[in-house]
Amino acid sequence: MSERLQPGDVAPAFTLPDADGNEVSLADHKGRKVIVYFYPAALTPGCTKQACDFTDNLDLLAGAGYDVIGISPDTPEKLAKFREKESLKVTLVADPDKKVAESYAAFGEKKNYGKTYMGIIRSTFVVDEDGKISHAFYNVRATGHVAKIIKDLGI
């Protein structure tokens, strides 16, 4: 597993397919601030709440100069269903081999109900205009996390 990212680290580059199969690269957002968040699975209660929170606050975040990209190991087809069902406006991209999640240390050992397994660690990263990490949040809660980011960023 990768080392956890810290403020000042260069954000790992990625190019992944979105819900429509179009490629989305972190490099496409150079010169803008980007919130990159990793979530375990589309169409699950916690991930739905988190994605809806980002969608509900997208205008506020965009107005402050932030783009939002959600990354999960789901297929583009499942992401399209998720987007349609929940009327999501955030960019959702697919990382089925979890390589990008691994590069952000957002894939690793998790514990749930006494069982240990490998999975996506719900994590959020704020990337500045120069492609460096300004904030790294690991093991975040699905509920209330977007409000915390907005507060931490002073938006």
Side-chain angles (χ1 to χ4, degrees):
M1 189 176 107
S2 301
E3 286 284 315
R4 288 197 163 185
L5 296 173
Q6 304 293 326
D9 290 347
V10 173
F14 62 82
T15 301
L16 295 169
D18 70 7
D20 299 314
N22 301 313
E23 289 196 339
V24 174
S25 295
L26 185 59
D28 298 341
H29 298 267
K30 192 98 171 129
R32 295 216 14 111
K33 296 175 274 194
V34 187
I35 295 170
V36 178
Y37 79 99
F38 291 86
Y39 62 99
L43 301 167
T44 58
C47 297
T48 298
K49 175 76 177 111
Q50 187 178 22
C52 288
D53 278 354
F54 272 118
T55 293
D56 292 346
N57 288 286
L58 200 57
D59 289 344
L60 177 69
L61 291 165
Y66 291 89
D67 297 331
V68 179
I69 301 172
I71 302 177
S72 74
D74 299 302
T75 63
E77 296 77 21
K78 187 172 179 188
L79 295 176
K81 281 186 195 141
F82 187 33
R83 181 185 62 200
E84 303 314 315
K85 180 174 188 280
E86 303 298 338
S87 302
L88 300 174
K89 293 190 180 90
V90 295
T91 300
L92 301 174
V93 298
D95 181 25
D97 62 9
K98 302 173 197 75
K99 293 266 186 272
V100 175
E102 285 177 4
S103 72
Y104 279 78
F107 178 79
E109 198 172 270
K110 294 173 67 168
K111 286 183 173 36
N112 200 6
Y113 301 114
K115 288 195 170 126
T116 302
Y117 61 97
M118 297 298 282
I120 297 294
I121 298 162
R122 193 181 302 277
S123 308
T124 302
F125 305 89
V126 181
V127 181
D128 69 16
E129 300 90 338
D130 298 320
K132 291 199 160 93
I133 302 286
S134 65
H135 296 76
F137 305 97
Y138 287 95
N139 296 309
V140 301
R141 296 203 177 284
T143 308
H145 179 59
V146 176
K148 182 181 178 341
I149 289 172
I150 290 168
K151 184 172 178 266
D152 286 356
L153 296 176
I155 299 172

